[in-house]
Amino acid sequence: MPAVLVHGVPDTAAMWDPLLAALTRDDVITLALPGFGCPLPHGFGATKDEYAGWVADQIDALGEPVDLVGHDWGSLLTQRVALTRPELLRSFAMADGAVTGRFAWHDLALQWQTPEVGEQIMELMTGDAVADALRDAGHPGAADAAEAVDDTMKGCILDLYRSATEIAREWSPTGPAERPGLVIWGTADPFGAVASGERFTEVTGAQLVVLDAAHWAPVERPREAAAALESFWASLD
């Protein structure tokens, strides 16, 4: 029963390296979302539903339930799979991202969702500007992450966010989750307050762990995050 990790925006699977080094289990698979440091399949529209379906397909192909873990958009995709395809999972864990009825996008997301404005923002997302912004938000691998931001990823980000203007209405949980859940959140996350994670746990029954971190909590505090995850997984045995 492997653990499957799903990164967010604007990241690649490499973001998980600090957490992988801290985990004791060796059956961990890191997914690379289409267009994020890897090719975009022909005809793939990069919408939220296509990405959620893609994640579900990758898990289904493994042939056994998994412990699914996501961060940022990977967290939202994890939430969607957990609530719509629970048979694919033993458990799920979400870091710095959760959708409930009171969910609201942060300012940068709103800019990306706005035609022309989003394209203008993407033109500015180059080199040191990206690295500095990621570093300010707590990304421990800001420089490497910035190097991976190319035109393909930028286009996917715009398509993804523009498909999600109604995500609170379309993806919010309506009751307890069928699988055990864990939410990890950074106290200083500039893109979403801990209260967002609290609201999700109140509806679904998931557990909440708060770390002294910003938006990239599981890799800013990899030992603490690994301990929380492994304690959670051990409780399922």
Side-chain angles (χ1 to χ4, degrees), residues 16-109:
W16 292 113
D17 287 351
L19 181 65
L20 293 176
L23 289 170
T24 59
R25 65 188 294 176
D26 58 7
D27 59 341
V28 182
I29 298 167
T30 58
L31 297 183
L33 294 174
F36 287 78
C38 60
L40 190 66
H42 178 71
F44 190 85
T47 66
K48 71 183 193 308
D49 293 309
E50 285 172 290
Y51 277 114
W54 181 88
V55 171
D57 288 344
Q58 303 309 301
I59 299 170
D60 197 21
L62 296 174
E64 59 180 325
V66 306
D67 295 318
L68 184 59
V69 181
H71 171 260
D72 182 79
W73 254 105
S75 179
L76 305 187
L77 299 175
T78 292
Q79 171 178 330
R80 186 60 172 172
V81 173
L83 299 183
T84 61
R85 298 291 307 277
E87 75 280 3
L88 297 176
L89 310 182
R90 180 180 75 151
S91 71
F92 67 97
M94 300 156 46
D96 298 286
V99 174
T100 62
R102 293 175 57 188
F103 176 84
W105 284 115
H106 53 83
D107 289 344
L108 181 57

Side-chain angles (χ1 to χ4, degrees), residues 97-179:
V99 174
T100 62
R102 293 175 57 188
F103 176 84
W105 284 115
H106 53 83
D107 289 344
L108 181 57
L110 294 175
Q111 292 174 334
W112 284 339
Q113 288 171 340
T114 304
E116 297 187 11
V117 174
E119 282 76 8
Q120 293 169 4
I121 295 295
M122 287 301 175
E123 290 180 5
L124 300 175
M125 286 182 58
T126 58
D128 291 342
V130 179
D132 290 345
L134 293 175
R135 193 175 296 111
D136 289 344
H139 200 312
D144 290 340
E147 288 185 6
V149 178
D150 58 13
D151 288 342
T152 297
M153 185 188 293
K154 291 178 182 180
C156 289
I157 292 171
L158 292 182
D159 289 338
L160 176 58
Y161 275 88
R162 289 172 181 178
S163 74
T165 57
E166 298 296 325
I167 195 170
R169 177 177 59 82
E170 296 170 344
W171 280 19
S172 290
T174 58
E178 293 187 28
R179 294 294 184 267

